[in-house]
Amino acid sequence: MARAQVIVVLLAIVLTAEGEDVVSTPKPKKVLDTVMNPAYIPAEEKHGSFWRKSAQEVLNSKLKETLNKNKAKNGILFIGDGMSLATVMAARTFAGQSERELGEDNVLDFEKFPVSGLARTYCIDAQVPDSACTATSYLTGVKTKYGVIGLDGNVTRGSCYSQLYKRNWSPSIGKWALDKGLDVGFVTTTRVTHASPAGMYAHTSERNWEADVDVPDECLSLGCKDIAYQLVTSDPGRQFKVIMGGGRREFTPNVTTALTNSTGKRADGIDLTELWHEDKIERNATHQYVTDRNDLLKVFNSDDLPEYLLGLFKNDHMDYHLQASNQPTLEEMVEVAIKMLSRSSKGYFLFVEGGRIDHAHHESYAYLALDETVEYAKAVKKARELTKVEDTLIVVTSDHAHTMTVAGYPSRGNDILGVVDTATGQDGKPYTTISYANGKATSIDEGGRIDVTLSSQFINRTLEYSYPSLVPLDSETHGGEDVAVFAYGPWQHLFTSSYEQSVIPHFMAYAMCLDDNQHENCRAQRSPGAGVNLKPSRCSRRN
């Protein structure tokens, strides 16, 4: 061996012995040989003692846990519509990077819950579900067919006869709670007649029958009612103390009104907001109908809260958080709802949906999907701050997944919404860490694979930039994998393991003593007013 070669080898050995990295590795030619290039690695993480210590801390906290078998006076079910596990990972990273952190080690609030499990989401006739059959599953405890809400599997989608046959009806946990004397409400960022919230109160063989104009004439003549009409005029919907979200057009006639300066959809000439008002007058109950954030905050800050609250903040779905104006955040709506429902001495059940995660994914708007997930996590945190773990069970989950993936071997801290920093494709072009299996934005044109870095929308981080997908479709589809379930509060330990999505309301009902399967603490006396942690409000501020 030549003298020069010997010197190089000896130098490499010395540097290695001193703990220095030898950076002579050639540029990788294979994906699995990728060399990472992080901006930095926290110094403590380089030592094995850091990871052993952190593991011991987690173990110690687990060993200190005791089973909480109290009666759950209150139950809150959070649904992040379309919040797949990939979305959770990307959103936590996005949130951390928004605070100038690396991001990967960030944790969303609900990820701190002590218990988690996995729920299987298929419909009885579909491998990959929609939000109608899943809402029926996690709210009524019965799996059903694609596109069907609040009815069991003995129905034919779009059949009015199936809808009218009451033996097919599957009542929700909202009705179970009302039957036990609890107060009930729901909050969503979608139309309040959309598939997920409709699972709380509607029985319909077609999820799209939100207003009367959506229902075929022959079905109307048979007596089938649209979803909005069911909410306002039928039980359990008309008994809900809190209803907040979008979808005003489903309740108002198809004429422009002085109040809203917008046109509704209804062809029957009925203003359902007026019917809601009349129903509450007949009950001799105080009530308030609000249409924007300012009106909602006036109600919240009032010394005399109404017994019933209806908030319809947009004609269609509520705006994405990053595009909203004079619209309450999901966090603010949750705070108002808990303040109102907590007045019940018997407790309450609250359903909360962060619904626009799903819509952003359908458009392949990854930026908006991640931001909506972060906003959803803030709402969960607010609920946890306002309640007590001793008597309030909070369950956080999703209805279904999406086709978004996080892949490509990017370095630690690499922009989650950017391109992979360590390599290009075999065609020499960069590719994004986030992509979709199918969706609106194709990844290939006549010139081959598209170079996203040539797009001004991508470079400028436009909110409505559609991330690349393999299969071009008019709308990205749902995914069929399991979704995570996080639980915190009485009987949280029930939610471990893997199970059908349809067991979720049954677990909650058992914890809340809403069914006939009573545990020993169902007869325990609870002090009036328990279950709400009255702290100074931040609702008047937009965070």
Side-chain angles (χ1 to χ4, degrees), residues 415-470:
D415 182 1
I416 191 67
L417 290 169
V419 295
V420 172
D421 64 317
T422 57
T424 60
Q426 287 188 322
D427 55 6
K429 296 177 182 179
Y431 60 95
T432 53
T433 303
I434 286 177
S435 62
Y436 290 84
N438 57 52
K440 290 184 61 175
T442 182
S443 59
I444 299 173
D445 62 14
E446 296 82 0
R449 195 168 61 84
I450 295 171
D451 185 346
V452 296
T453 61
L454 300 180
S455 166
S456 61
Q457 283 193 319
F458 177 78
I459 294 171
N460 297 322
R461 194 57 57 79
T462 304
L463 296 179
E464 295 182 347
Y465 173 75
S466 293
Y467 275 68
S469 58
L470 177 62

Side-chain angles (χ1 to χ4, degrees), residues 281-309:
I281 290 177
E282 291 177 5
R283 295 168 183 262
N284 196 28
T286 58
H287 56 284
Q288 186 71 45
Y289 169 49
V290 294
T291 58
D292 59 35
R293 181 174 183 264
N294 291 335
D295 287 345
L296 180 64
L297 295 185
K298 289 177 184 177
V299 172
F300 178 82
N301 293 317
S302 170
D303 294 331
D304 189 17
L305 289 173
E307 295 175 68
Y308 292 84
L309 176 65

Side-chain angles (χ1 to χ4, degrees), residues 359-372:
H359 297 157
H361 275 322
H362 278 307
E363 299 295 327
S364 305
Y365 295 160
Y367 189 173
L368 286 172
L370 301 190
D371 181 75
E372 290 295 311

Side-chain angles (χ1 to χ4, degrees), residues 384-418:
R384 196 160 61 89
E385 291 172 348
L386 293 174
T387 56
K388 298 178 181 179
V389 67
E390 292 80 14
D391 68 357
T392 302
L393 172 62
I394 302 177
V395 177
V396 176
T397 184
S398 174
D399 51 353
H400 54 71
H402 270 273
T403 73
M404 189 196 85
T405 59
V406 183
Y409 302 127
S411 300
R412 173 93 175 267
N414 191 60
D415 182 1
I416 191 67
L417 290 169

